[in-house]
Amino acid sequence: MFKVEKRTTFKDRALSQIRDAIRKGWLKPGERLNEGKLANDMGISRFPIREAIRSLEKEGLVTTVPFKGTFVNELNEKDLDELYSLRLLLETHAIELLIKNITDEKIAELESILNDMQTGLTHEKEDLISEDLKFHKKICELSNHGKLLEVWKNLSSQIRAFLAVEQYSHDNIDYLYDSHKVILDAIRAKDKPRAQKRLRENINNGIQRIKSCQNFD
């Protein structure tokens, strides 16, 4: 599952590997993380593993229970609703700020991501998840609201975990490009109500797809 790391102090590489294993479902919700085994598999000491786990806790991907260990967080409906309602608030506000200060250069940056998304429609679903997240992150970046972007980034790993459920549970992924193109078209037209409406539709449709394929307790 894991490759041996050549540098024993690269906590970031260990973090990346564990995070990806969670995102791709190699480490299952509720599964306990064994520090010793992870360290052995990657060929590193336990210290960077421990640091990586602390970062994963901040991202909301794992939880440490005293005297029991660290476990991959299980997806639940309450988390989904809370996460996506907060995401809606952040991203609709980001669109408002972006449209107030829109430039051709900002439009071009979003178009570039959309073009990559269209090209990737025949590629791996993991790549499409990355392009999906990149588009929404770019909207937040282009809003020029540093704190908004900081909060969004702190949520991004949890968003990605739910996106993985959504994307990997559906064979038909052609909707991805079209659902983001209508957002960009509205931003280009400086039509704030339409852009925010299309964004809400995109996110709410995602919530419904997740709920349709995930058995929540």
Side-chain angles (χ1 to χ4, degrees):
M1 184 186 300
F2 300 105
K3 62 184 179 181
V4 173
E5 293 291 357
K6 295 180 180 179
R7 297 282 297 274
T8 60
T9 58
F10 274 7
K11 164 254 184 176
D12 288 342
R13 288 191 178 182
L15 172 61
S16 177
Q17 285 206 63
I18 301 171
R19 186 193 287 127
D20 283 347
I22 294 172
R23 288 170 175 172
K24 294 175 181 178
W26 296 342
L27 290 172
K28 308 293 184 185
E31 185 172 343
R32 182 176 179 274
L33 299 185
N34 186 315
E35 287 185 12
K37 186 176 186 308
L38 290 171
N40 185 64
D41 287 348
M42 295 182 206
I44 59 179
S45 69
R46 290 193 181 201
F47 182 70
I49 297 293
R50 219 164 278 138
E51 286 188 315
I53 285 174
R54 289 196 195 102
S55 295
L56 291 168
E57 285 186 279
K58 292 178 182 178
E59 293 177 10
L61 291 181
V62 304
T63 297
T64 298
V65 180
F67 308 112
K68 292 187 177 180
T70 300
F71 301 85
V72 178
N73 282 343
E74 300 196 47
L75 305 178
N76 64 68
E77 192 168 8
K78 185 174 184 292
D79 287 339
L80 173 65
D81 290 337
E82 290 182 354
L83 178 66
Y84 272 63
S85 63
L86 181 54
R87 182 184 174 190
L88 273 169
L89 288 172
L90 292 171
E91 294 188 24
T92 52
H93 186 49
I95 278 183
E96 178 181 1
L97 297 174
L98 169 58
I99 288 176
K100 281 182 180 178
N101 299 286
I102 198 67
T103 64
D104 290 341
E105 290 75 15
K106 291 180 178 181
I107 292 294
E109 288 188 62
L110 289 168
E111 282 180 337
S112 176
I113 297 171
L114 203 62
N115 290 337
D116 289 342
M117 193 181 294
Q118 186 177 37
T119 303
L121 284 176
T122 57
H123 295 172
E124 295 294 328
K125 289 185 180 181
E126 178 70 19
D127 296 333
L128 293 175
I129 293 171
S130 295
E131 294 303 324
D132 188 337
L133 265 183
K134 191 185 296 182
F135 184 87
H136 291 271
K137 178 183 177 183
K138 182 57 68 174
I139 287 174
C140 294
E141 287 179 349
L142 296 177
S143 73
N144 290 325
H145 192 308
K147 292 299 181 184
L148 184 152
L149 177 60
E150 182 180 336
V151 173
W152 191 94
K153 284 181 176 179
N154 287 336
L155 300 174
S156 62
S157 287
Q158 296 176 65
I159 294 171
R160 190 181 185 105
F162 279 113
L163 281 177
V165 173
E166 177 188 347
Q167 301 292 355
Y168 282 111
S169 300
H170 290 78
D171 293 328
N172 182 10
I173 54 175
D174 293 342
Y175 71 86
L176 190 67
Y177 172 81
D178 291 336
S179 65
H180 289 84
K181 183 177 184 299
V182 293
I183 298 173
L184 178 56
D185 288 343
I187 292 174
R188 185 188 288 109
K190 301 180 182 180
D191 188 337
K192 183 187 76 172
R194 179 158 62 97
Q196 291 177 324
K197 179 183 178 182
R198 296 306 187 193
L199 177 75
R200 281 192 290 268
E201 289 173 349
N202 174 268
I203 292 176
N204 286 329
N205 286 340
I207 293 174
Q208 295 309 312
R209 282 191 295 270
I210 293 167
K211 288 185 177 181
S212 71
C213 62
Q214 182 74 23
N215 294 321
F216 292 112
D217 294 330

